[in-house]
Amino acid sequence: MLAFHQNHGCEGTVVVTQVEEPSKYGVVVYDGNGKIERFVEKPLEFVSNKINAGLYILNPSILDRIEVRPTSIEKEIFPAMATDGQLFAYELSGYWMDIGQPKDFLTGMCLYLQALRQNSKGALTLVSGDTFVGNVLVDPTAVIGHNCRIGPNVTIGPDVVIEDGVCIKRSTILKGSKIRSHSWLDSCIVGWNCVIGQWVRMENVTVLGEDVIVSDEVYINGGKVLPHKAISSSVPEPQIIM
Amino acid sequence: MEVNANDCIKGVILIGGPQKGTRFRPLSLDVPKPLFPVAGFPLLQHLIEACVNVPAMKEILVLGYFSSEEINPFLNEISHLYKDVKIRYLQEYTRLGTAGGIFHFRDQIKAGHPSAFIVINGDVSGDFPLRDMLEFHRENLNKPVKPLVTMLATEATRQQSVNYGCIVENKTTHQVVHFVEKPSTFVSTLINCGVYVCGIDIFSVISKIRKEKQESFYSGETQEQLESIMIERDIIMPFAGKHGNIFVYQTNRVWSQVKTAASAIYANKQYLELYRKTKPSRLAQSKERGDALGVRVIGDVYIHPSAQIDSSCVIGPNVSIGKNVVIGPGVRIHDSIILGDSAVEDHSLLLYAIIGWSSSIGKWSRVEGTPCDPNPNKPFAKMENVPLFNAEGRLNPSITVLGKSTNHFNC
């Protein structure tokens, strides 16, 4: 990326990536050399499938372009730089995901785990064994009980305790949480230091904030639960609990 | 009250036929509704047991229009349990109505010269004070106006009372002053339980009604079916005000009707609770009290001796588990009925559900219904028997019923 920037010698490089639904984002139009002609924010008709991936390499000289007031770099500075022919696009290869939304976070997590499987160098390695299915990342300090089924696409953080007979799919469990026996989770993000009771079922992008307690036998469908809440009755329809 | 050694009482249980019990489907598609098991035993058996406990009960006649092949095997199976009482099924050739059926088999009922007989509607469940009711009926035989029929009644809420037969009572003499079936406006909170004590003189009364009906039918006055005579409509309603010979015995003991699958769950709970008093050996004991099963049992639970349940399960309250059911490790069940030959796999959770015969539930399943229990905030509230769909065409939340041989797969 740096080599590309230094090679063209202009003020800025914007990393772009290809997506299926470009009109959800800002589309970037550039020529064969990568010089950016213009930006189109959320186009109504198809213009291009390359969008701004949110990574930039910039020369310090761009600071002279910024006035001292609230300014959006994408809306004000980059279009000006494009007109001046000073902005280039670098195509990203490999996976990319905007993980601002919980459901996109989980999709991004799956992509990340898949990449990990393909080049297993680095500190993080995937686990294998009878309990695990597909791509699963487990912190060494986590404790997992008997007869569980973990995976595919699960990440388990430090000091997490998972009791016997738990099934987890496509979820992230953050540090210090405890999941009691016989529960079933699919597409969930469990925050730090939560306690999930026995025979709980959570699915459909349920997100628990820090220190949430879920009582035994509860069902949560797409609940978004703010920190420090206790959930004692089922949430059958997606909603925010605060 | 002294029981005369030669005294004879008969029981008559009216069970209807396959055209009845449509709200009980899909459960009644495979088994006649009276044979559906709650608290481990068929509804009919609970009613038979209630009759058997009445002193001087000599014979119980089950009347209905199911075919004999559907009912007799069951009666043959249980006859050895109640040695002092004969139990027979009498099949009606056509729908004769509640009084018409009794009249048709009057010779069988009158055989052995019973001093009175008890009539029970096949779809009621509860703790009936039959002995006390019989005594009350007998005491009133000394009164100037003798009872033709004594009916069992209970309290309901004002709003729910209009769904039943409503009774207006003379509080001193306990005669029925007025009776009306399912009125459109409020009449009384005292409702008919569908249990009657009848004297033998009722047959001459029914004979007279029959003659009157025949005359009006053949003279072209009425179009309705000739044979159908109903106790409530043709005897109780007209006679209550006119002759004053219908009496009412009020009870506050548990009583409910079993009309829908949801009401089976409520009846299941009721009978399991009754076992504590009447048949504690039918209730499963928890591991802490040294049970061989080793299962952790909460509250009232019935488990058939052939069922195999892993010791890590937690079962109850209010659960009945049928013959040969296999339940894997880590399963939690409450307020449910699991019918015979079913299998429930590991880590599942079942609540407010009826699992049909030979069904299988996969691992980590959650089967959840909505209870239709009476409102605990209102005294004397009864179960709401809501229709299947509401006014907007959406399904009303209710007990979840999995019919026979349903497979719920492992996710």
Side-chain angles (χ1 to χ4, degrees):
Chain A
M1 236 186 267
L2 200 50
F4 174 84
H5 177 79
Q6 285 165 340
N7 188 40
H8 66 66
C10 293
E11 277 191 84
T13 301
V14 173
V15 175
V16 298
T17 185
Q18 182 170 318
V19 292
E20 282 176 11
E21 292 185 61
S23 50
K24 278 164 47 175
Y25 310 93
V27 165
V28 183
V29 182
Y30 53 95
D31 68 16
N33 293 322
K35 194 191 310 194
I36 294 178
E37 290 161 28
R38 65 187 200 283
F39 292 89
V40 187
E41 196 58 30
K42 295 186 177 50
L44 298 168
E45 261 185 8
F46 185 85
V47 174
S48 162
N49 60 10
K50 305 289 187 295
I51 59 143
N52 179 350
L55 286 93
Y56 317 124
I57 303 178
L58 306 167
N59 290 350
S61 58
I62 67 131
L63 295 170
D64 298 330
R65 292 178 178 266
I66 305 175
E67 291 168 28
V68 184
R69 58 172 174 82
T71 312
S72 161
I73 197 171
E74 290 90 1
K75 291 197 176 111
E76 299 178 54
I77 312 299
F78 285 167
M81 287 168 75
T83 314
D84 294 345
Q86 287 293 310
L87 208 53
F88 276 72
Y90 174 84
E91 286 184 20
L92 184 67
S93 58
Y95 66 95
W96 178 90
M97 195 76 213
D98 171 354
I99 57 168
Q101 303 261 15
K103 78 171 166 63
D104 294 333
F105 173 86
L106 291 173
T107 309
M109 174 194 75
C110 295
L111 292 172
Y112 177 82
L113 291 174
Q114 183 59 21
L116 209 57
R117 176 169 289 283
Q118 278 157 358
N119 43 326
S120 40
K121 54 187 173 190
L124 303 167
T125 45
L126 299 170
V127 287
S128 56
D130 280 339
T131 321
F132 303 107
V133 180
N135 300 333
V136 179
L137 199 59
V138 179
D139 189 275
T141 56
V143 176
I144 301 182
H146 304 293
N147 301 319
C148 290
R149 188 197 297 163
I150 313 289
N153 297 318
V154 175
T155 56
I156 302 199
D159 303 323
V160 167
V161 174
I162 298 183
E163 288 189 1
D164 298 344
V166 170
C167 177
I168 307 180
K169 297 193 263 192
R170 205 170 177 271
S171 298
T172 290
I173 317 294
L174 297 181
K175 178 175 178 171
S177 283
K178 180 168 180 174
I179 304 182
R180 304 205 49 221
S181 45
H182 316 298
S183 288
W184 185 95
L185 277 63
D186 180 3
S187 298
C188 298
I189 303 175
V190 176
W192 311 264
N193 301 312
C194 288
V195 176
I196 295 173
Q198 296 182 294
W199 288 290
V200 167
R201 182 182 178 99
M202 306 197 327
E203 58 182 346
N204 196 20
V205 194
T206 287
V207 181
L208 304 186
E210 181 182 358
D211 181 41
V212 168
I213 300 179
V214 180
S215 300
D216 294 347
E217 300 168 33
V218 162
Y219 169 62
I220 307 184
N221 173 20
K224 312 286 191 269
V225 185
L226 266 66
H228 312 297
K229 289 286 307 171
I231 308 291
S232 53
S233 54
S234 294
V235 181
E237 291 299 317
Q239 56 185 277
I240 299 173
I241 315 274
M242 54 175 158
Chain B
M1 186 197 83
E2 288 255 328
V3 178
N4 187 338
N6 295 326
D7 195 12
C8 168
I9 301 289
K10 299 263 184 125
V12 177
I13 305 178
L14 307 170
I15 63 171
Q19 289 106 314
K20 294 252 161 194
T22 53
R23 276 180 289 171
F24 206 68
R25 291 174 178 174
L27 300 168
S28 53
L29 289 174
D30 297 296
V31 124
K33 186 170 121 183
L35 298 187
F36 183 80
V38 295
F41 298 86
L43 284 168
L44 179 55
Q45 190 165 353
H46 291 287
L47 298 177
I48 289 175
E49 286 178 348
C51 291
V52 157
N53 288 328
V54 176
M57 177 65 64
K58 291 290 188 308
E59 185 178 36
I60 299 171
L61 299 164
V62 180
L63 264 58
Y65 40 99
F66 288 99
S67 70
S68 324
E69 295 90 66
E70 290 176 278
I71 307 293
N72 277 329
F74 164 69
L75 292 181
N76 291 336
E77 233 179 77
I78 62 160
S79 60
H80 71 278
L81 296 169
Y82 315 108
K83 289 201 172 67
D84 300 325
V85 181
K86 287 207 285 280
I87 308 174
R88 282 198 291 153
Y89 176 62
L90 301 172
Q91 186 179 356
E92 294 175 37
Y93 64 90
T94 184
R95 290 170 67 162
L96 297 167
T98 45
I102 292 170
F103 182 74
H104 183 73
F105 292 112
R106 60 194 175 285
D107 292 332
Q108 276 87 334
I109 299 175
K110 285 199 278 190
H113 307 290
S115 54
F117 63 101
I118 298 175
V119 178
I120 305 182
N121 225 298
D123 61 4
V124 297
S125 75
D127 183 15
F128 313 121
L130 296 178
R131 206 187 278 213
D132 297 336
M133 204 178 153
L134 196 53
E135 198 175 312
F136 171 79
H137 179 89
R138 284 196 164 130
E139 276 165 12
N140 289 330
L141 291 170
N142 299 324
K143 300 279 166 62
V145 183
K146 287 203 266 276
L148 179 66
V149 174
T150 298
M151 41 194 311
L152 187 66
T154 189
E155 282 283 325
T157 63
R158 239 186 120 89
Q159 284 141 314
Q160 289 178 325
S161 67
V162 296
N163 298 322
Y164 302 92
C166 298
I167 302 169
V168 181
E169 176 195 22
N170 175 326
K171 291 281 181 197
T172 357
T173 62
H174 301 295
Q175 285 168 301
V176 176
V177 163
H178 183 66
F179 175 79
V180 56
E181 270 289 8
K182 296 189 181 53
S184 47
T185 53
F186 173 74
V187 167
S188 165
T189 52
L190 194 61
I191 60 164
N192 179 21
C193 290
V195 178
Y196 312 105
V197 175
C198 302
I200 301 299
D201 39 352
I202 200 171
F203 296 117
S204 53
V205 167
I206 301 177
S207 176
K208 227 175 110 203
I209 296 172
R210 230 173 139 241
K211 284 206 184 73
E212 283 164 23
K213 279 191 176 245
Q214 273 179 334
E215 279 164 19
S216 76
F217 179 81
Y218 286 115
S219 71
E221 265 173 50
T222 51
Q223 296 299 314
E224 66 179 53
Q225 205 178 357
L226 180 60
E227 301 281 0
S228 168
I229 307 174
M230 310 291 286
I231 297 180
E232 296 83 7
R233 182 192 64 190
D234 299 311
I235 301 178
I236 297 184
M237 205 159 63
F239 282 60
K242 223 190 311 177
H243 302 288
N245 54 0
I246 311 290
F247 283 69
V248 58
Y249 182 79
Q250 184 172 348
T251 179
N252 286 329
R253 298 209 229 168
V254 284
W255 175 86
S256 72
Q257 288 180 307
V258 184
K259 297 271 193 209
T260 58
S263 49
I265 289 286
Y266 183 63
N268 183 50
K269 178 169 147 174
Q270 251 183 14
Y271 278 130
L272 284 171
E273 191 178 323
L274 266 182
Y275 284 165
R276 281 190 231 162
K277 192 172 54 164
T278 58
K279 290 185 174 18
S281 59
R282 283 185 179 172
L283 291 174
Q285 304 301 315
S286 184
K287 175 161 60 173
E288 288 96 67
R289 285 141 85 181
D291 180 62
L293 279 177
V295 171
R296 179 151 167 254
V297 168
I298 302 177
D300 307 317
V301 172
Y302 168 80
I303 301 179
H304 192 276
S306 65
Q308 293 166 40
I309 306 182
D310 189 275
S311 54
S312 58
C313 294
V314 180
I315 311 283
N318 307 320
V319 178
S320 297
I321 297 185
K323 208 188 324 188
N324 297 327
V325 166
V326 176
I327 303 192
V331 171
R332 172 92 185 91
I333 308 179
H334 70 83
D335 291 282
S336 297
I337 299 176
I338 319 293
L339 296 170
D341 300 309
S342 289
V344 180
E345 288 188 46
D346 317 10
H347 316 299
S348 293
L349 170 63
L350 311 178
L351 52 154
Y352 298 110
I354 301 179
I355 310 297
W357 302 267
S358 308
S359 293
S360 69
I361 308 288
K363 293 188 196 185
W364 281 293
S365 293
R366 182 186 178 102
V367 181
E368 176 174 6
T370 313
C372 302
D373 283 6
N375 187 341
N377 294 323
K378 294 189 187 162
F380 308 118
K382 304 281 170 273
M383 264 198 70
E384 291 287 345
N385 273 319
V386 291
L388 204 51
F389 294 97
N390 67 13
E392 286 131 27
R394 311 188 86 197
L395 208 55
N396 269 322
S398 173
I399 300 290
T400 294
V401 177
L402 300 189
K404 185 173 180 180
S405 302
T406 314
N407 293 318
H408 182 283
F409 289 109
N410 178 348
C411 19

